[in-house]
Amino acid sequence: MRCQQYQRLSVWENSARALHFEASQIGESYLGHFVENRILQLALIDTIEQEHADNIHVVYGRAISINVNEASVELDDDIHIQANILIGADGGNSQLRQQANIGITGWQYEQQANVLLVKMASNFESATWQQFTPQGPVAFLPLFHGHANLVWYADSPTSQYIRNMNNDDIKTEVLARFPSILGDFEILDKTGFPLRRMHANKYWRKNVVLIGDAAHQINPLAGQGVNLGFKGRRYLG
C-alpha cells in the first residue's frame, strides 16, 4: 500500500559537485522504498491478525498504571496485563522507561525537522535528494501517486515561523530556499519535530527491557535511525 521505490539518491552542498548513487551501479532495479509510518503499522497489525492470531493477542488502550516490579500494566479500559517481561517500545518520551527509573543522557540539537506533505504538479523521477546548507539540510522524499515529503531543517525560531505561516507563504519560502530542480507543488499538510540525541543509561532494569526510541535517539539525517534498527535486527536474526 502506497509504497514508492527510488532508483537514485543524490546529495550535495554545491550542485556542481553532486554525489549520485544509482541502483544500476550495483546491478539492482531500485535502492529502497519510501513507506509511510502509518502504513507500516497497518501492515504489522494485519500480519499479526492474519498469520499469528493464535499466539499474539493485540490489546488497544492507554496505560494508566505500570508496576515494573510485578511486570504488570493496567489500561484505561480496566484491562489488566501481567507478564514476565515488559518491553518499552513507547518512543523517546517512554513512560515505561520513566516508571523503571532509568535515566538518560543527551542533548538538543537546537534544530527542528519541518516536514511538508506536498502534491507535485508534474511527474517526477523515482529519486530522492538532499542538499546541505549552512542553515541545515533540505530534502525531497518521493511518495506514492505524485505526493512527496519536503524536509526542511531549521533552527527553533525559523521553525516557529514556518508553523505560523500559511501554505502560500511557506511555498514562497520553500521555492527560495530549495534547489530549482524541485519544481512546482501544492502544500497539503505540515508537521515538525525537534532533533535530539538521547541514550538510556541502561537498556534493562528488573523486568523492563527498552528498545527503539525508548532506548536511544539520534539525528534522523538520511533515515539512519530506522535503518540502523533494521540493520541491527538483521544481525541479531
Side-chain angles (χ1 to χ4, degrees):
M1 293 173 61
R2 299 209 298 268
C3 64
Q4 175 65 45
Q5 290 183 358
Y6 63 97
Q7 281 78 42
R8 187 174 74 252
L9 183 154
S10 301
V11 293
W12 68 86
E13 182 176 354
N14 183 332
S15 58
R17 298 178 175 86
L19 182 62
H20 305 287
F21 299 90
E22 302 274 357
S24 59
Q25 294 172 336
I26 56 173
E28 298 289 345
S29 59
Y30 61 89
L31 291 177
H33 290 84
F34 285 102
V35 185
E36 300 161 49
N37 186 56
R38 174 62 175 160
I39 300 301
L40 283 176
Q41 294 172 336
L42 290 174
L44 288 169
I45 293 172
D46 183 65
T47 300
I48 290 172
E49 293 177 344
Q50 298 298 323
E51 302 180 21
H52 302 283
D54 291 339
N55 54 21
I56 299 179
H57 180 51
V58 180
V59 178
Y60 298 93
R62 182 176 60 87
I64 59 174
S65 176
I66 301 174
N67 188 318
V68 296
N69 296 314
E70 299 178 1
S72 64
V73 178
E74 182 182 352
L75 303 182
D76 53 6
D77 50 6
D78 294 329
I79 293 179
H80 185 270
I81 300 173
Q82 182 79 38
N84 294 322
I85 297 175
L86 295 179
I87 299 176
D90 50 342
N93 297 317
S94 171
Q95 182 181 358
L96 191 56
R97 185 185 66 227
Q98 297 172 24
Q99 291 293 323
N101 200 27
I102 297 176
I104 62 173
T105 58
W107 60 81
Q108 299 288 337
Y109 286 107
E110 303 301 333
Q111 268 195 333
Q112 296 193 28
N114 302 284
V115 183
L116 307 175
L117 174 63
V118 302
K119 179 68 186 298
M120 303 304 296
S122 58
N123 293 333
F124 50 80
E125 289 185 277
S126 183
T128 181
W129 49 259
Q130 185 159 322
Q131 179 186 23
F132 292 87
T133 77
Q135 293 75 37
V138 294
F140 174 84
L141 313 178
L143 299 177
F144 200 56
H145 279 168
H147 293 80
N149 275 339
L150 305 181
V151 185
W152 177 359
Y153 285 66
D155 58 28
S156 296
T158 303
S159 298
Q160 183 65 47
Y161 176 62
I162 294 170
R163 284 194 296 272
N164 292 337
M165 281 192 292
N166 61 49
N167 288 350
D168 289 338
D169 290 338
I170 293 177
K171 180 176 179 178
T172 299
E173 292 287 342
V174 167
L175 291 173
R177 295 169 183 263
F178 277 59
S180 58
I181 63 170
L182 174 60
D184 193 18
F185 59 89
E186 176 190 0
I187 297 177
L188 303 179
D189 202 358
K190 61 182 176 181
T191 187
F193 53 91
L195 306 178
R196 68 169 179 162
R197 185 267 192 197
M198 182 279 292
H199 195 243
N201 294 337
K202 298 181 66 173
Y203 284 4
W204 64 273
R205 187 179 186 200
K206 297 182 179 178
N207 297 319
V208 172
V209 176
L210 304 178
I211 64 173
D213 280 4
H216 39 63
Q217 286 184 296
I218 60 175
N219 192 309
L221 186 67
Q224 59 184 337
V226 66
N227 288 323
L228 285 171
F230 292 154
K231 184 176 182 180
R233 174 61 183 87
R234 184 167 69 248
Y235 290 148
L236 290 174

